[in-house]
Amino acid sequence: MLSSGRLLKLVPQSYLVSVPTVGMDPAYRVGLESISREYDRVECPVDGEIPLWLSGTLFRNGPGRFEVDDSDLTHWFDGLAMLRRFRIDDGSVTVSNRFLRSKEYTHVTEQGELRCDQFGTTAPKSIVGRLTGLLNPELTDNASISVDRIGTDPVAITETPNAVAFDSETLETTGTISPDDSVEITGSLGHPHYDFDHETVVNMGVRFGRQSAYVLFERSAEGTIRRPISTLPVDQPAYFHSFGLTEQYAVLLESPLRLNPLSLLSDRSFIESYAWDDNRESNLLVFDRLAGEFVDRFPVEPCFVFHHANAFERGNELVVDCIAFADDTVIDSLFLDQLRGGEIPAPGGDLRRYRLSLSEGTVDENTLLSGPLEFPMINYRQVSTQPYRYLYAAGHTAAHSPEADQDGQPTGLLDALVKVDLDDGTNTVWSEPGVYPSEPVFVARDPPATPDVDADRPADDGVLLSVMLDTDAEQSVLVVLDAASVSEIARAELPTAFPFGFHGQWYPDDSRAHRSMP
Ligand SMILES: [Fe+2]
């Protein structure tokens, strides 16, 4: 078992933690403010040398504006979606950013009010409108969570089934893709999985109604036609944000954060319609996606999970890794007034491993690395659904650096990147004072390794791409790190400070470019 701070192999920077002063705005606040300007393929000065094999496009998604008319949106997840595009070729970088011209965005800019409820902010509606909406809900297309592809066309995705297509060169919005009726769901996840063997995209949805249900479904990588795999009725659905996938199974961590359907009739926001039920445990729900049936429910200690990291089968055992929080208070900490205040505990959980014995019906859980950690990342193409060695995540210097004070809860945002070696129990940390990383996107060295082609190739042979906020310069930078050593190779200076983003995808310019999956 790994423990926090044990055997740090590489410490490339000093570890002065940028802790905000009471009563003052934290230095990272600029990363939580709106931006209005849109840049179109602007050249970014590069310090260092970007490897020539690194040729492709990184699309990132996240909020770009946090106000509607004169009113503030309340939660970090509510901001209007703004795409970021980083084109890397021949050692150079250009950047673009563009607001998604969703129906939500158009309505907000033209009417000065929300069209649909967002995660933490409600749209103005009468009680009649709410009743009507309960029966036939209008779901937002403010798709700010991540990026996917349908065929070769990129789309912005969120936690409703509405995806928004955009041009891969200009980022211009080309239209909202509303779902067909083949899978009856109210919500789906911004973290779909890719089944490379079957060339399908697998996702989990939830249906609210007289009979609510969790719905596991898939679509071909090339098309929009969806197919339900398995449906599990549930009385009070849990809120969930991602799930785990193995070669045969899908695993969902169902927390005690449960929906009260009557709350949807109130003025409460989507997430405030859920409440933590102290009388419930968490469950790992296992679906056999090949047989198309629900397998079993494995009770575990109460916890809340945003992000699964990886899952795989080992003999008769399912191994499920995720970032787990003790409860749902992290959601409250991501309301903008909390985040901007700066005195919050750092919003990150522990790296948790569950081992499920399908034959015995038992589950074992342990913490692989104490947090705060978030935004877990793996060499997805090579090790997703497989036993694996390396995991990357955003961490915190006050918890993960050699000088870390193990007493007390780190505050402020995550300010480091951590590489976890699950085999030898070591951690490698990168950080720089005043610099706040985003999700580290792993890009395999070209030509990319695949389980079929090169099983022996090290899974950390590649780079990490992370858009970071340099608070001293009040400027965002795209940092390229060697994934093996977690040391900086190069950084590109962006023309301004972008708001912190959520997730994205890298699409390489190689022979796989015709393929829709990353
Ligand atoms: Fe996420």
Side-chain angles (χ1 to χ4, degrees):
M1 184 175 112
L2 301 177
S3 62
S4 172
R6 177 181 159 203
L7 271 178
L8 287 124
K9 284 192 295 192
L10 179 68
V11 186
Q13 305 283 347
S14 60
Y15 288 94
L16 293 173
V17 182
S18 181
V19 177
T21 307
V22 174
M24 293 180 63
D25 288 343
Y28 53 72
R29 181 171 171 137
V30 65
L32 298 161
E33 300 292 350
S34 301
I35 185 174
S36 56
R37 185 166 173 183
E38 295 179 315
Y39 295 86
D40 185 10
R41 288 162 280 190
V42 173
E43 194 81 29
C44 301
V46 175
D47 185 16
E49 288 196 13
I50 294 175
L52 293 179
W53 61 262
L54 188 64
S55 180
T57 306
L58 173 68
F59 293 108
R60 301 283 304 162
N61 204 345
R65 186 178 303 169
F66 300 98
E67 299 83 26
V68 171
D69 204 11
D70 291 332
S71 301
D72 290 337
L73 296 165
T74 59
H75 200 275
W76 189 34
F77 297 172
D78 295 338
L80 293 175
M82 186 185 81
L83 295 162
R84 295 87 160 149
R85 174 185 185 270
F86 300 90
R87 173 83 192 131
I88 302 179
D89 185 38
D90 200 23
S92 67
V93 178
T94 63
V95 67
S96 306
N97 69 301
R98 188 169 173 82
F99 282 93
L100 200 65
R101 266 56 170 188
S102 60
K103 293 176 188 171
E104 192 73 51
Y105 177 92
T106 303
H107 189 88
V108 163
T109 51
E110 293 180 356
Q111 308 292 326
E113 62 182 30
L114 285 172
R115 173 173 175 267
C116 300
D117 291 348
Q118 302 298 304
F119 185 85
T121 309
T122 51
K125 272 197 201 81
S126 65
I127 186 66
V128 174
R130 294 215 162 268
L131 278 168
T132 307
L134 197 63
L135 297 172
N136 187 19
E138 181 102 51
L139 303 171
T140 188
D141 64 348
N142 178 33
S144 65
I145 291 183
S146 191
V147 170
D148 192 8
R149 286 211 282 199
I150 297 174
T152 55
D153 299 328
V155 292
I157 56 175
T158 186
E159 293 190 331
T160 72
N162 296 319
V164 181
F166 63 89
D167 186 275
S168 62
E169 294 287 325
T170 65
L171 297 183
E172 287 178 7
T173 301
T174 53
T176 296
I177 301 172
S178 295
D180 58 32
D181 296 330
S182 53
V183 177
E184 193 184 338
I185 49 176
T186 321
S188 59
L189 300 181
H191 290 280
H193 274 291
Y194 303 93
D195 181 332
F196 297 101
D197 291 336
H198 299 95
E199 299 211 340
T200 55
V201 180
V202 184
N203 206 346
M204 188 71 79
V206 61
R207 180 167 70 226
F208 300 140
R210 194 182 307 273
Q211 178 59 76
S212 296
Y214 303 129
V215 183
L216 181 67
F217 65 99
E218 66 181 357
R219 68 170 173 83
S220 80
E222 302 299 320
T224 58
I225 303 298
R226 301 177 303 164
R227 183 185 78 82
I229 298 172
S230 180
T231 299
L232 178 67
V234 56
D235 56 348
Q236 288 184 281
Y239 171 73
F240 53 97
H241 182 80
S242 69
F243 69 108
L245 192 80
T246 74
E247 288 185 339
Q248 186 173 351
Y249 301 99
V251 185
L252 177 67
L253 194 140
E254 181 189 47
S255 78
L257 184 61
R258 300 303 184 95
L259 177 72
N260 177 356
L262 291 178
S263 294
L264 294 174
L265 283 170
S266 72
D267 282 338
R268 293 182 194 170
S269 67
F270 168 77
I271 196 59
E272 288 170 328
S273 298
Y274 289 78
W276 188 265
D277 185 343
D278 287 327
N279 295 317
R280 289 184 188 260
E281 52 214 347
S282 286
N283 295 295
L284 284 159
L285 309 180
V286 178
F287 298 80
D288 184 331
R289 62 191 186 91
L290 301 186
E293 60 189 26
F294 175 66
V295 176
D296 210 348
R297 173 181 270 107
F298 293 77
V300 296
E301 289 295 312
C303 67
F304 175 77
V305 166
F306 274 126
H307 295 117
H308 284 251
N310 199 9
F312 57 90
E313 297 152 33
R314 191 164 55 190
N316 199 34
E317 187 175 75
L318 282 188
V319 180
V320 181
D321 294 345
C322 56
I323 304 293
F325 298 81
D327 55 34
D328 65 331
T329 52
V330 61
I331 294 175
D332 296 335
S333 75
L334 300 178
F335 276 91
L336 286 164
D337 58 349
Q338 292 285 311
L339 272 179
R340 288 168 175 159
E343 287 301 305
I344 53 167
D350 298 331
L351 176 58
R352 178 81 45 83
R353 169 161 289 184
Y354 296 101
R355 291 167 37 232
L356 287 64
S357 170
L358 295 177
S359 57
E360 304 292 327
T362 57
V363 56
D364 173 80
E365 58 183 275
N366 67 314
T367 296
L368 298 179
L369 179 63
S370 296
L373 296 160
E374 252 303 349
F375 295 125
M377 175 65 58
I378 57 174
N379 178 346
Y380 191 88
R381 182 67 184 88
Q382 189 174 356
V383 306
S384 174
T385 75
Q386 303 296 317
Y388 69 115
R389 181 171 181 179
Y390 302 115
L391 179 144
Y392 310 89
H396 203 297
T397 54
H400 301 120
S401 76
E403 293 83 15
D405 176 6
Q406 296 302 310
D407 299 325
Q409 171 74 38
T411 60
L413 297 187
L414 301 181
D415 61 359
L417 293 179
V418 182
K419 176 184 181 182
V420 185
D421 185 328
L422 297 165
D423 279 4
D424 71 12
T426 59
N427 315 324
T428 310
V429 179
W430 181 94
S431 77
E432 182 176 311
V435 175
Y436 293 84
S438 64
E439 172 188 66
V441 175
F442 180 90
V443 181
R445 184 185 302 276
D446 185 38
T450 70
D452 301 335
V453 174
D454 192 355
D456 296 329
R457 188 164 180 169
D460 60 352
D461 186 14
V463 298
L464 299 171
L465 301 177
S466 179
V467 181
M468 305 191 187
L469 177 66
D470 180 339
T471 57
D472 290 339
E474 294 203 350
Q475 180 181 44
S476 296
V477 290
L478 175 66
V479 178
V480 183
L481 301 140
D482 175 67
S485 62
V486 198
S487 56
E488 181 174 337
I489 299 172
R491 71 173 62 186
E493 293 178 18
L494 276 55
T496 189
F498 282 166
F500 294 117
F502 299 139
H503 304 288
Q505 289 283 4
W506 167 264
Y507 295 114
D509 293 339
D510 63 13
S511 57
R512 297 181 309 153
H514 69 285
R515 297 181 57 170
S516 60
M517 294 190 286

